[in-house]
Amino acid sequence: MLRLKLLLTLVLVICPWVVSYGQLHFAGVNGERGYAALRGSYRLDLDNGFIITPAVGYYRMSDKEEDEPGATTKFALSVAYELADGLLADVMGAYIPRRLGFENWMYGAGLTYTLCYRCGPFKYPYLHGRVGQSFYDVRDDASGRPLPGRFTTAATAASLELGSELGAFFFQARYDKVIKYTNKPPQGVTSNWTEIPYMTAVVQGFISDMVAARVAYRTRWITPYAVYSRYKYLEASEYTVSIAGGLALHVGPGTISGGVEIFEQNRQDHRKTYFFMSASTEF
């Protein structure tokens, strides 16, 4: 946790002096049995068409300290470049250092195309596509017991996202699909970091596909929003549904948000409820 705080402090001190525009974002979540997660990112919008976004994430699955089992950290970097008016290309990479018998790294590339300023009632409609690979090196099973041998696999995946403003509403929808796993995970082996679009909490498990939608209603001071997601674990026969809802308060150049995220609400034994807060500001 100390290294995470030092990194975020460095970003805060240095980055505003080297860019023409910046956007800082933090998000934190707390849940049952001591679960806690933190995410931070800084979007650096340079004058030469490049957009650089370093990000860091952290979560712990229990109320144990950072140096005890239960904590995982992720480091990521995204670089985007405006190829033409309305067309943005990006590449990204992320690394999760070995912890709790897991080690992950990933990379990907994508394109974002804004169709027009206004198309009928729609404003700034956009499409974003991405392809990438994730690599998993697993040494322990889901219960924390060492495996007889290490398990490795690579997942090739693609995603498509679309969004648009419609009056005071803002809609987003995204579909993710894992095209192929090089090795199918054996029984009792899982991943340590799986993100659900538009949510802050991190779940565990290999996903085959997921779809998520977010709708927000923007006013001058507040923006209520809701999220719906539906995803399927590789070893499961049925889809899992999760929902979230919150309210954002706009204060000058900053925004403060709060709300709740509920995972697997239809399965009482697996239901997880998380409360989150986030803050962002522009420079």
Side-chain angles (χ1 to χ4, degrees), residues 104-108 130-137 151-158 177-185 191 193-194 205-209 234:
N104 306 351
W105 58 98
M106 59 209 71
Y107 65 88
R130 176 183 293 278
V131 294
Q133 282 193 316
S134 300
F135 300 88
Y136 303 89
D137 186 349
F151 169 75
T152 61
T153 188
T156 302
K177 173 66 177 178
V178 176
I179 301 170
K180 179 183 178 181
Y181 283 100
T182 55
N183 296 307
K184 186 177 180 180
S191 71
W193 191 294
T194 300
F206 291 101
I207 297 292
S208 61
D209 63 277
L234 191 62

Side-chain angles (χ1 to χ4, degrees), residues 49 55-56 65 72 83 89 93 102 108 120 124 141-142 144-145 168 183 197 234 239 262-263 266-267 272:
V56 64
E65 295 298 327
T72 305
L83 298 174
F102 295 89
Y124 297 118
D141 63 16
R145 295 186 296 266
N183 296 307
L234 191 62
Y239 281 87
I262 303 175
F263 289 78
N266 293 326
R267 301 171 62 189
K272 302 178 182 66

Side-chain angles (χ1 to χ4, degrees), residues 170 172 198 213-217 223-228 243-247:
F170 179 55
Q172 290 174 285
Y198 316 127
R214 182 181 185 272
V215 58
Y217 183 80
T223 298
Y225 57 91
V227 176
Y228 170 89
I243 57 176
L247 185 71

Side-chain angles (χ1 to χ4, degrees), residues 69-72 96-104 136-142 144-147 149-152 189-192:
T72 305
I96 300 175
R98 182 173 303 283
R99 200 66 188 274
L100 312 177
F102 295 89
E103 184 178 14
N104 306 351
Y136 303 89
D137 186 349
V138 185
R139 305 294 180 92
D140 296 349
D141 63 16
R145 295 186 296 266
L147 297 173
R150 62 192 293 185
F151 169 75
T152 61
V189 173
T190 185
S191 71
N192 62 330

Side-chain angles (χ1 to χ4, degrees), residues 49-142:
F50 280 97
I51 301 172
I52 303 173
T53 307
V56 64
Y58 163 87
Y59 81 89
R60 67 182 187 193
M61 295 184 61
S62 70
D63 57 4
K64 296 181 179 181
E65 295 298 327
E66 188 271 340
D67 59 350
E68 296 180 7
T72 305
T73 306
K74 178 181 179 180
F75 302 95
L77 178 65
S78 172
V79 179
Y81 181 72
E82 188 175 6
L83 298 174
D85 189 23
L87 182 61
L88 195 71
D90 68 272
V91 294
M92 64 79 63
Y95 176 61
I96 300 175
R98 182 173 303 283
R99 200 66 188 274
L100 312 177
F102 295 89
E103 184 178 14
N104 306 351
W105 58 98
M106 59 209 71
Y107 65 88
L111 286 172
T112 302
Y113 179 57
T114 302
L115 282 69
C116 58
Y117 167 73
R118 187 180 295 275
C119 302
F122 298 99
K123 187 176 181 181
Y124 297 118
Y126 74 89
L127 290 171
H128 174 73
R130 176 183 293 278
V131 294
Q133 282 193 316
S134 300
F135 300 88
Y136 303 89
D137 186 349
V138 185
R139 305 294 180 92
D140 296 349
D141 63 16

